[in-house]
Amino acid sequence: MERQGVDHLADERSKAEFDVDAMKIVWAGSQHAFDLADRMSKLVSADPVFQKDSRTMLDRKDLFKTTLRKAAYAFKRINELNLTYEEATKLRFFMDESNYMSLHWAMFVPAIKGQGTEEQQEKWLPLAQRLQIIGCYAQTELGHGSNIQGLETTATFDSNTDEFIIHSPTLTSSKWWPGGLGKVSTHAVVYARLMTEGQYHGVHGFVVQLRSLEDHLPLPGITVGDIGTKFGNGAYNTMDNGVLRFDHVRIPRNQMLMRVLQVSREGKCTYSDVPRQLIYGTMVYVRQTIVTAASTALSRAVTIATRYSCVRRQFGSQNGGPETRVIDYKTQQNRLFPLLASAYAFRFVAEWLEWLYSNVTDKLKANNFSTLQEAHACTSGLKSLTTSATADAIEECRKLCGGHGYLCSSGLPELFAVYVPACTYEGDNTVLLLQVARFLMKTVSQLGSGIQPVGTTAYMGRAKHLMKCCSTVERAEDWLEPTPILEAFEARAMRMAASCAQNMAIFSNPEKGFAEMSADLAEVAVAHCQLIVVSKFIDKLKQEVPGKGVKRQLKFLCNIYALSLLHKHQGEFLATSSITAEQASLATAQLRNLYSQVRPNAVALVDSFNYTDHYLGSILGRYDGNVYPKLYEAAWKDPLNDSAVPDGYVEYIKPLLEETIHLSRL
């Protein structure tokens, strides 16, 4: 942690009522995870090559070239230091600059591992791991994203030459958005419609070389480039998201990834013994990493807003004394502390998703698919819930920082711009909620049939009780107990699901009913997913948590998370009679009381994320709280201040001042 000079937040840190070092380990997940992150973050922050202070001021070409330099340097340092794969991944993470390496390691390599045969892995993986080839994941098209089966790119087998012909038959079939594709990748795993003997066999992946390994020029039949500048300064503009078109490009048959489906020399398609459902295991893994990333992005924003709220003083001066810290206003706490609680809630549900991925993978290997649909629905919903909430929360944190939050030097505008695509990639959030809703409707329809709901839908097995039960809360303090909280969330989710199922039954055409009820169904999915997050936070509190006062703080945060959701969605809890109006008022009163418990620990709780100033990238969120001198200093570094007189003065300002521009008379 960079700690130089006076700590302007020392008085805040002295108020902590818990063991901050112990909480850092709880946040990291383990001592090993903490040590790894701590070492790699400090390694990056101490290296001037990874400096990013000027990133938002660079034009696109300079920004991209700078990112290429950092990515190459990172790979060089990884080899020089002989870092493990785990260490290398963390180093790239704390580099905090989206680039082609992210997609190469996170999408291209796993696609070959997951979908390639042993022979294909032996051929491609050593090249990819040594960066002798650089790959991307070319799935999304100009005309299709979420609807994978609607992809238009074709891969037609030619049995005469033993080749596939990769072709983009329409403008909308152009691959569009793959990161690393625009200017860097030499190869791609391209997803296309498999055609053999005039028959369509679904969408499959193909390894296709795009650029020459000699001069990096596109190969014949390939049109490739960058899709243009994206939202925000710096942000995701460090990435070369690309466009790609094929004009009857031929590749050998063995470059189709054939772990699941194999095409013979004669063009016959046969499925291997590998379960096709394995792809869902990969999906669970990817979405688990997205939920983890949500907790990280949210915790960064909350750190900035919390520290700055303790620095900023406005109004409230008594007899010439200091003004009131912004964080001491109840309105600020009411907006900020539920976001702090959400960061912890999302981290713990992400931990549980790690376990779920391992569990699903083991079952798939044993050809046990009993929990697959539920796991897929659960991860789809949590990806949607956490990314939407995080994107909204980052913007709320910007507003919590007042006008200064709008400066790029606050770190919040760039954080928002680089994060918000998470609401769309790996599944549009509304589409994912409707997938969850479809599964929930199926689960409701099977109640009473002998098929027991599993996993996160197990509460639906108590449907009769949940449809009739009444909350037992009589005092505000009762809302501090997990049982009434869980029962209220379960009753709300169950009753909303049952109501939708009942309303859909009116329609003779189920799909028509689903379409008509889709807005309500999305709300059902949100209720279900919020229940999951609340329940996993409560489960975390049942575990042994080391460190003085740590579990007490986590309980405060858990209750704030649950009760803030209950307050925000009060209409649903009341409309379903899950709680009464009086109980809702008691919940709100208890929520307000909890803020005073968290207030003295606020800075310590964000310190527990253990972010260096380099990684945080925010003057407002500096560890030492020395905000105003650094804001003033940063202003003079802007290129616009390179000269006292701006470019354009002679042409456009001076004539106005000298009245040499003739104004038309009305």
Side-chain angles (χ1 to χ4, degrees):
M1 192 72 67
E2 303 97 323
R3 301 179 185 179
Q4 300 175 359
V6 178
D7 182 358
H8 296 270
L9 293 172
D11 63 325
E12 288 291 332
R13 295 190 167 97
S14 69
K15 299 174 185 176
E17 300 167 336
F18 67 97
D19 184 337
V20 177
D21 289 334
M23 186 69 89
K24 288 179 180 179
I25 294 169
V26 170
W27 173 261
S30 68
Q31 183 70 55
H32 169 74
F34 170 78
D35 291 341
L36 174 66
D38 193 54
R39 280 189 295 110
M40 291 300 107
S41 64
K42 288 175 178 175
L43 179 66
V44 171
S45 66
D47 196 322
V49 174
F50 293 122
Q51 179 275 137
K52 57 183 183 180
D53 295 347
S54 62
R55 185 164 64 194
T56 58
M57 303 177 200
L58 300 176
D59 66 35
R60 181 79 196 284
K61 281 191 173 182
D62 287 341
L63 176 67
F64 186 65
K65 188 173 182 180
T66 300
T67 302
L68 293 181
R69 175 173 62 86
K70 290 181 184 180
Y73 178 75
F75 188 69
K76 176 173 173 284
R77 291 296 288 151
I78 287 166
N79 287 320
E80 288 174 348
L81 297 171
N82 196 29
L83 299 184
T84 64
Y85 177 80
E86 186 180 33
E87 290 171 328
T89 301
K90 275 296 178 188
L91 183 145
R92 285 190 288 264
F93 170 81
F94 285 113
M95 176 179 154
D96 191 39
E97 197 148 315
S98 301
N99 63 79
Y100 66 91
M101 289 278 195
S102 308
L103 282 301
H104 175 83
W105 293 110
M107 299 296 286
F108 179 72
V109 170
I112 294 172
K113 283 183 178 179
Q115 299 168 37
T117 62
E118 287 186 13
E119 293 79 9
Q120 289 174 324
Q121 292 182 47
E122 288 171 5
K123 175 181 178 179
W124 296 108
L125 290 180
L127 296 173
Q129 287 161 349
R130 292 193 297 267
L131 287 188
Q132 290 177 305
I133 62 172
I134 297 171
C136 65
Y137 187 88
Q139 177 173 287
T140 299
E141 295 179 353
L142 186 58
H144 288 87
S146 298
N147 182 12
I148 304 303
Q149 295 307 314
L151 295 179
E152 298 177 84
T153 303
T154 57
T156 305
F157 183 64
D158 183 349
S159 59
N160 294 321
T161 60
D162 198 24
E163 294 173 316
F164 285 106
I165 303 169
I166 311 295
H167 185 57
S168 306
T170 63
L171 179 67
T172 51
S173 68
S174 305
K175 295 298 178 184
W176 192 272
W177 277 115
L181 170 63
K183 292 295 176 183
V184 178
S185 294
T186 62
H187 290 67
V189 172
V190 176
Y191 288 85
R193 302 171 67 83
L194 172 61
M195 305 293 297
T196 67
E197 300 180 314
Q199 299 293 314
Y200 169 57
H201 297 279
V203 173
H204 296 273
F206 300 80
V207 178
V208 183
Q209 184 173 348
L210 308 176
R211 292 179 169 96
S212 165
L213 296 178
E214 299 297 325
D215 57 14
H216 206 62
L217 288 173
L219 296 180
I222 287 173
T223 301
V224 63
D226 187 272
I227 61 172
T229 304
K230 298 170 286 287
F231 179 58
N233 292 42
Y236 218 73
N237 288 299
T238 56
M239 181 72 79
D240 56 326
N241 296 92
V243 53
L244 170 66
R245 285 181 60 76
F246 298 99
D247 184 3
H248 298 91
V249 173
R250 290 178 173 268
I251 62 170
R253 175 171 55 90
N254 63 10
Q255 286 182 213
M256 172 183 161
L257 296 176
M258 296 194 194
R259 186 180 180 195
V260 174
L261 181 72
Q262 294 162 356
V263 177
S264 70
R265 176 66 181 81
E266 295 74 31
K268 303 294 182 185
C269 292
T270 55
Y271 282 99
S272 68
D273 295 332
V274 177
R276 281 172 279 178
Q277 292 88 342
L278 272 178
I279 191 170
Y280 289 104
T282 303
M283 204 174 292
V284 170
Y285 170 75
V286 170
R287 288 177 179 161
Q288 174 264 314
T289 63
I290 291 174
V291 174
T292 301
S295 71
T296 301
L298 177 50
S299 60
R300 288 176 72 174
V302 167
T303 299
I304 295 167
T306 300
R307 288 177 178 168
Y308 182 60
S309 292
C310 291
V311 170
R312 185 73 167 175
R313 292 176 180 269
Q314 292 289 288
F315 308 111
S317 174
Q318 300 291 326
N319 301 319
E323 294 176 276
T324 303
R325 286 187 174 94
V326 171
I327 199 168
D328 287 321
Y329 288 104
K330 293 298 181 182
T331 49
Q332 191 83 348
Q333 294 175 13
N334 189 49
R335 295 163 65 195
L336 177 60
F337 290 168
L339 305 184
L340 173 60
S342 296
Y344 278 90
F346 294 171
R347 177 54 55 112
F348 297 145
V349 81
E351 278 184 9
W352 172 74
L353 284 175
E354 287 186 41
W355 169 85
L356 181 67
Y357 169 65
S358 176
N359 178 263
V360 166
T361 302
D362 288 344
K363 287 183 176 179
L364 287 176
K365 288 176 181 175
N367 287 325
N368 179 353
F369 310 125
S370 60
T371 62
L372 189 58
Q373 283 189 324
E374 183 270 331
H376 177 244
C378 165
T379 53
S380 297
L382 289 174
K383 182 272 180 186
S384 175
L385 180 79
T386 58
T387 55
S388 290
T390 296
D392 291 345
I394 295 170
E395 170 61 7
E396 185 67 9
C397 285
R398 183 193 66 76
K399 291 186 283 190
L400 283 163
C401 291
H404 296 337
Y406 195 61
L407 286 168
C408 283
S409 57
S410 77
L412 292 165
E414 188 180 23
L415 179 59
F416 178 78
V418 81
Y419 184 76
V420 75
C423 296
T424 305
Y425 61 61
E426 290 301 318
D428 174 86
N429 281 358
T430 300
V431 173
L432 292 180
L433 287 178
L434 292 176
Q435 289 180 9
V436 177
R438 193 176 289 278
F439 174 72
L440 293 176
M441 292 302 99
K442 179 181 178 182
T443 303
V444 170
S445 72
Q446 292 174 337
L447 294 177
S449 68
I451 300 175
Q452 288 299 310
V454 295
T456 57
T457 58
Y459 69 96
M460 289 187 167
R462 295 182 286 111
K464 288 184 179 179
H465 168 73
L466 291 173
M467 294 298 290
K468 296 177 181 178
C469 67
C470 300
S471 176
T472 58
V473 168
E474 296 179 352
R475 302 168 303 155
E477 304 84 63
D478 293 341
W479 281 118
L480 296 176
E481 297 303 318
T483 300
I485 289 174
L486 268 180
E487 189 160 85
F489 274 83
E490 288 176 344
R492 168 207 181 202
M494 184 69 247
R495 294 174 191 187
M496 288 175 69
S499 176
C500 270
Q502 189 175 15
N503 289 333
M504 283 177 61
I506 298 171
F507 294 86
S508 56
N509 183 332
E511 287 305 311
K512 173 71 172 174
F514 192 90
E516 289 295 321
M517 295 291 299
S518 58
D520 299 275
L521 287 164
E523 292 172 356
V524 169
V526 169
H528 172 71
C529 293
Q530 287 175 344
L531 166 62
I532 295 173
V533 180
V534 169
S535 67
K536 298 310 170 188
F537 206 148
I538 289 172
D539 287 347
K540 181 72 176 180
L541 295 174
K542 295 176 183 176
Q543 300 172 15
E544 184 177 343
V545 180
K548 179 184 176 183
V550 170
K551 181 173 280 193
R552 184 167 179 262
Q553 293 303 314
L554 291 179
K555 186 171 183 181
F556 289 150
L557 293 171
C558 179
N559 287 332
I560 286 175
Y561 179 72
L563 295 182
S564 64
L565 287 178
L566 191 151
H567 179 72
K568 182 178 179 180
H569 299 278
Q570 200 171 103
E572 292 176 356
F573 284 92
L574 292 173
T576 57
S577 300
S578 301
I579 59 174
T580 65
E582 183 180 355
Q583 290 167 336
S585 296
L586 291 173
T588 300
Q590 186 58 65
L591 176 63
R592 306 287 193 253
N593 290 335
L594 285 165
Y595 294 155
S596 62
Q597 301 293 331
V598 169
R599 166 62 189 95
N601 298 282
V603 168
L605 284 167
V606 299
D607 284 352
S608 299
F609 302 142
N610 200 42
Y611 295 142
T612 62
D613 280 350
H614 170 273
Y615 180 66
L616 207 57
S618 169
I619 291 177
L620 302 189
R622 289 176 59 89
Y623 181 86
D624 63 9
N626 189 26
V627 171
Y628 298 127
K630 294 299 180 180
L631 273 181
Y632 185 82
E633 183 182 308
W636 296 105
K637 295 179 181 178
D638 191 281
L640 204 57
N641 287 323
D642 286 348
S643 61
V645 178
D647 291 344
Y649 166 76
V650 173
E651 301 96 318
Y652 307 115
I653 301 176
K654 186 177 180 181
L656 286 174
L657 296 173
E658 295 179 350
E659 298 186 15
T660 56
I661 293 181
H662 299 290
L663 302 179
S664 62
R665 293 174 180 268
L666 295 177

